[in-house]
Amino acid sequence: MADAIKTDSTLDASFCAALCTRLSIVPDLQLPSSLCRQQPELGPEAIQTFLQALLQRDPAVFLERYSSLLSSSDLNSFSTLRGNYEVDYWLHQAQQQRQQGAGSQQANQEQQQQQQQQCGAASGNGRVKAGS
């Protein structure tokens, strides 16, 4: 019975490996300074090992640090850990950031369209006046 509970509350090993491999090659990935002091020139393998250890040891801290780099699909894979207060908190934060980001992108696009329309109308008015 305990094994069934444990498998329900863990992440798939192949997902973890693929995720950490992908993150290990992200340029300028934020890493703890203590890790950088221990190994000044970290290669992707060392970063991947660190990420996998962190993900296994404390998925909430992993989400806190790296959720902004994860896709929606990646975040959905953490659903097996729901019920853990900290994991739930960071998943909710990531979802809010995505919604705010999508909202601000839409607002930016609308603002750009309005500016283009205003510029087009102003230049169109200028042409009409010049032709009159």
Side-chain angles (χ1 to χ4, degrees), residues 50-75:
F50 164 75
L51 292 171
Q52 283 185 311
L54 177 62
L55 184 53
Q56 290 174 355
R57 183 179 68 249
D58 198 340
V61 171
F62 183 92
L63 286 169
E64 176 185 7
R65 293 179 184 173
Y66 304 112
S67 65
S68 64
L69 302 173
L70 305 182
S71 69
S72 295
S73 175
D74 293 334
L75 293 171

Side-chain angles (χ1 to χ4, degrees), residues 16-124:
C16 293
L19 178 63
C20 293
T21 298
R22 197 172 72 235
L23 289 178
S24 70
I25 58 172
V26 169
D28 301 323
L29 183 70
Q30 295 294 315
L31 297 168
S33 59
S34 60
L35 180 67
C36 296
R37 281 190 298 249
Q38 292 171 357
Q39 300 177 15
E41 293 189 30
L42 290 172
E45 296 84 17
I47 295 171
Q48 181 181 359
T49 300
F50 164 75
L51 292 171
Q52 283 185 311
L54 177 62
L55 184 53
Q56 290 174 355
R57 183 179 68 249
D58 198 340
V61 171
F62 183 92
L63 286 169
E64 176 185 7
R65 293 179 184 173
Y66 304 112
S67 65
S68 64
L69 302 173
L70 305 182
S71 69
S72 295
S73 175
D74 293 334
L75 293 171
N76 288 338
S77 296
F78 282 84
S79 65
T80 59
L81 302 178
R82 289 223 177 254
N84 175 312
Y85 174 79
E86 291 176 310
V87 169
D88 289 346
Y89 175 83
W90 289 112
L91 287 173
H92 180 73
Q93 291 295 319
Q95 183 182 24
Q96 282 188 324
Q97 284 181 336
R98 289 186 185 285
Q99 288 173 348
Q100 289 173 351
S104 65
Q105 283 179 342
Q106 185 177 2
N108 287 341
Q109 288 174 348
E110 289 172 0
Q111 187 178 22
Q112 287 175 350
Q113 288 174 349
Q114 287 175 350
Q115 288 174 347
Q116 289 173 349
Q117 289 171 353
Q118 289 172 351
C119 289
S123 65

